[in-house]
Amino acid sequence: DVKVTQSSRYLVKRTGEKVFLECVQDMDHENMFWYRQDPGLGLRLIYFSYDVKMKEKGDIPEGYSVSREKKERFSLILESASTNQTSMYLCATVAGGPRYEQYFGPGTRLTVT
Amino acid sequence: SQQGEEDPQALSIQEGENATMNCSYKTSINNLQWYRQNSGRGLVHLILIRSNEREKHSGRLRVTLDTSKKSSSLLITASRAADTASYFCATDPSGANSKLTFGKGITLSVRP
């Protein structure tokens, strides 16, 4: 079974703080994704990575950056957290191309106060 | 950009009944997928149907795809309280650099 873990289930940060969300997968998948999920808006893609040190912007990259130094780890960075970044953050990974079945982590519910 | 639109937004049924959820999309696709999300958790992949397939089954799940109408339906037969969750369709638009795009989801409540 594919296992995707995220560093925290719940996180509370203050406005202006730098926030790191980490995602680790154990299946040697090349493609990894970060989404945010908000009520009424569904899942929106922030960034994705198709290989180590490779990244591409998704639909809503503003205010975020990512890092992929090792194949199994994909980090999402909020450079200066703002209240409108309060959300559920979901990491996913996929074998093969980015269009196939995605495996999701449990999610991190981030609150920025 | 979101392509899949699920319908209805919420559905409440009695245990044992069938649940039918629909998804419509706008552009041509390579495949369409359905996912389930239990409250406050990550999504779990349920089934993938390719554009050249019309129907697919997995246990109590039946998915149909009508590419001429750009729509899909997910049928859960003999529903159980444990099926209570949000269900999302995700479409893979045709194109070399496409990525899955998710709809906003359907909330299914199954009453015991």
Side-chain angles (χ1 to χ4, degrees):
Chain A
D1 272 359
V2 176
K3 193 168 175 68
V4 182
T5 57
Q6 295 184 227
S7 47
S8 307
R9 289 283 287 126
Y10 300 94
L11 207 53
V12 180
K13 295 291 181 180
R14 294 200 181 277
T15 302
E17 280 193 77
K18 192 168 185 174
V19 181
F20 293 86
L21 303 181
E22 287 214 315
C23 175
V24 179
Q25 51 107 349
D26 68 352
M27 284 299 292
D28 205 35
H29 288 172
E30 291 173 347
N31 293 278
M32 297 186 75
F33 304 80
W34 275 107
Y35 297 90
R36 64 176 282 177
Q37 183 179 22
D38 300 288
L41 295 177
L43 273 74
R44 293 180 290 168
L45 181 64
I46 305 172
Y47 267 98
F48 73 101
S49 168
Y50 48 90
D51 204 347
V52 175
K53 296 192 189 294
M54 307 299 279
K55 61 187 179 187
E56 273 198 37
K57 293 179 180 179
D59 299 318
I60 51 162
E62 297 78 19
Y64 303 93
S65 62
V66 289
S67 171
R68 188 142 181 228
E69 296 296 319
K70 293 185 178 181
K71 195 172 188 179
E72 68 271 16
R73 191 179 297 266
F74 190 34
S75 300
L76 180 69
I77 303 155
L78 286 66
E79 297 291 343
S80 177
S82 64
T83 54
N84 63 12
Q85 292 178 310
T86 291
S87 186
M88 170 72 111
Y89 289 87
L90 292 163
C91 172
T93 180
V94 63
R99 54 183 31 146
Y100 296 113
E101 172 187 349
Q102 294 194 7
Y103 298 88
F104 281 82
T108 295
R109 187 164 293 282
L110 172 68
T111 302
V112 183
T113 61
Chain B
S1 56
Q2 286 171 327
Q3 180 174 214
E5 294 267 343
E6 296 97 340
D7 168 61
Q9 289 188 322
L11 184 60
S12 181
I13 58 173
Q14 201 74 34
E15 207 165 25
E17 292 180 340
N18 295 341
T20 300
M21 291 167 271
N22 303 301
C23 173
S24 59
Y25 56 93
K26 297 187 175 73
T27 64
S28 61
I29 58 171
N30 287 304
N31 69 66
L32 184 145
Q33 304 177 33
W34 286 91
Y35 288 79
R36 184 188 75 231
Q37 183 181 35
N38 290 94
S39 180
R41 309 296 297 184
L43 278 71
V44 174
H45 181 265
L46 295 176
I47 199 162
L48 180 154
I49 186 164
R50 292 187 168 79
S51 59
N52 61 353
E53 298 175 309
R54 291 296 165 259
E55 189 170 311
K56 209 161 179 182
H57 296 255
S58 176
R60 293 184 297 114
L61 305 180
R62 174 178 162 247
V63 169
T64 60
L65 179 65
D66 187 334
T67 52
S68 67
K69 294 181 180 176
K70 291 188 170 58
S71 69
S72 172
S73 67
L74 171 67
L75 169 67
I76 303 175
T77 59
S79 64
R80 305 166 182 167
D83 294 326
T84 294
S86 293
Y87 292 81
F88 294 83
C89 74
T91 51
D92 167 35
S94 300
N97 297 313
S98 65
K99 299 172 290 297
L100 280 188
T101 55
F102 287 82
K104 296 178 184 178
I106 297 170
T107 301
L108 173 65
S109 299
V110 182
R111 303 185 302 273

